Amino acid sequence: MKTKRVAVVTEAGNGLGKTFANILLNHEYEVILAASKKSFENLSQEGGALHDYKLFKTDFTSLESLTELKSLITSKFGKLDLLINNAEIANGFGQKIEQIRIEDVKQVYETNLFAVIRIIQLFKPLLEKSDAPSIINMTSALGDIDKMTDENFCYANYCMTAYATSKAALNMFTHLQCKEFKPSKINIQNFDPVALKNCTHNSVSIKDGIKDDFIALIK
Ligand SMILES: NC(=O)c1ccc[n+]([C@@H]2O[C@H](COP(=O)([O-])OP(=O)(O)OC[C@H]3O[C@@H](n4cnc5c(N)ncnc54)[C@H](OP(=O)(O)O)[C@@H]3O)[C@@H](O)[C@H]2O)c1
């Protein structure tokens, strides 16, 4: 019997993470939800619906907590096929330079960038046990310099300094890892889950075209 592919989704207690997790379940994945705080509480209360997932309380800003998650995956599955870095902090909308608090920026970077680097460093050996390992880093058009410098782009003037710069840094990190991982079998890419061609998107669901793109990535 073919063994199922194993996926970890960070923070899928609400928002798009949950949508990704459900798509994975429908595509024969074992889905591990690594969640903390409100997300974990929400998921813990879901009871029945959760039977299909494996839920682990994980603080992915903590090396200790991630190491615990890694041990659990190692003992239960012995490999990891897909890692989806989905958790985010998005704050600081419309702040002027005088209003930016460095502590807030650091907090955003801790989740949106440093946690991603940390989890990839730690889980690389587990991913290497897969026949076709893959990493998807959830990004945003707000961190895409080409889009943001195009005055016709509907969010060109949408200023969220901490969030946008953290996603821009994530984009470059993914690009550099892509080069490093190219000779190996680990596939790594960014994925923007929301089509921002106009400003009328629903931020808690992904549209069909985007959903198809996501499905193409996980196959
Ligand atoms: N929604 C959009 O319009 C949109 C557009 C473009 C890109 N994206 C990207 O898509 C991904 C999902 O977006 P979303 O809108 O679904 O996000 P969301 O609803 O804000 O969910 C993000 C999750 O991250 C968790 N989180 C935040 N700070 C954390 C921390 N310090 N430690 C641990 N967990 C933390 C939150 O958990 P708690 O609730 O427990 O705090 C939450 O469950 C993100 O990477 C985002 O950048 C979203």
Side-chain angles (χ1 to χ4, degrees):
M1 198 178 71
K2 203 177 156 206
T3 56
K4 280 186 166 185
R5 281 173 62 79
V6 180
V8 168
V9 183
T10 65
E11 288 292 330
N14 52 36
L16 298 170
K18 212 165 183 183
T19 308
F20 303 135
N22 283 323
I23 295 173
L24 291 170
L25 280 182
N26 289 333
H27 286 80
E28 304 292 316
Y29 272 80
E30 291 277 2
V31 184
I32 298 151
L33 305 179
S36 66
K37 303 192 301 179
K38 216 166 64 213
S39 220
F40 181 80
E41 281 165 37
N42 290 347
L43 287 164
S44 305
Q45 282 160 15
E46 278 186 23
L50 255 186
H51 288 153
D52 293 333
Y53 305 109
K54 314 267 178 296
L55 173 65
F56 292 121
K57 188 165 192 171
T58 313
D59 172 4
F60 37 81
T61 60
S62 149
L63 179 61
E64 200 186 340
S65 181
L66 284 174
T67 305
E68 216 173 293
L69 175 65
K70 183 182 172 184
S71 308
L72 282 162
I73 300 170
T74 306
S75 61
K76 247 179 163 20
F77 304 105
K79 63 159 186 175
L80 179 62
D81 299 287
L82 173 62
L83 169 63
I84 300 193
N85 291 306
N86 167 73
E88 64 149 6
I89 300 181
N91 69 12
F93 174 69
Q95 282 180 339
K96 302 272 182 254
I97 185 75
E98 298 80 9
Q99 297 167 312
I100 296 171
R101 283 171 21 104
I102 295 296
E103 281 317 306
D104 294 342
V105 178
K106 282 185 181 167
Q107 202 194 0
V108 170
Y109 272 65
E110 190 56 57
T111 294
N112 295 8
L113 180 66
F114 305 149
V116 174
I117 297 174
R118 188 181 296 118
I119 198 169
I120 293 174
Q121 282 177 330
L122 203 61
F123 285 26
K124 185 171 164 252
L126 262 181
L127 286 158
E128 286 170 338
K129 296 255 168 26
S130 163
D131 293 334
S134 184
I135 301 168
I136 300 175
N137 293 331
M138 290 300 162
T139 188
S140 163
L142 301 189
D144 181 332
I145 194 98
D146 287 337
K147 283 192 178 159
M148 294 299 278
T149 49
D150 173 1
E151 281 302 320
N152 295 317
F153 176 53
C154 70
Y155 282 106
N157 297 313
Y158 205 85
C159 180
M160 286 175 85
T161 302
Y163 176 78
T165 60
S166 73
K167 290 292 182 181
L170 179 71
N171 290 345
M172 181 54 79
F173 167 70
T174 307
H175 170 69
L176 296 175
Q177 281 317 124
C178 189
K179 283 189 150 200
E180 182 194 324
F181 287 161
K182 206 163 196 163
S184 76
K185 53 185 183 172
I186 300 178
N187 181 282
I188 180 168
Q189 39 204 317
N190 282 320
F191 185 73
D192 179 351
V194 178
L196 292 176
K197 287 202 176 76
N198 54 55
C199 289
T200 55
H201 69 284
N202 173 353
S203 66
V204 290
S205 65
I206 45 177
K207 295 210 166 64
D208 280 350
I210 307 271
K211 187 174 166 187
D212 294 342
D213 291 347
F214 178 75
I215 291 170
L217 285 188
I218 61 168
K219 275 189 171 166

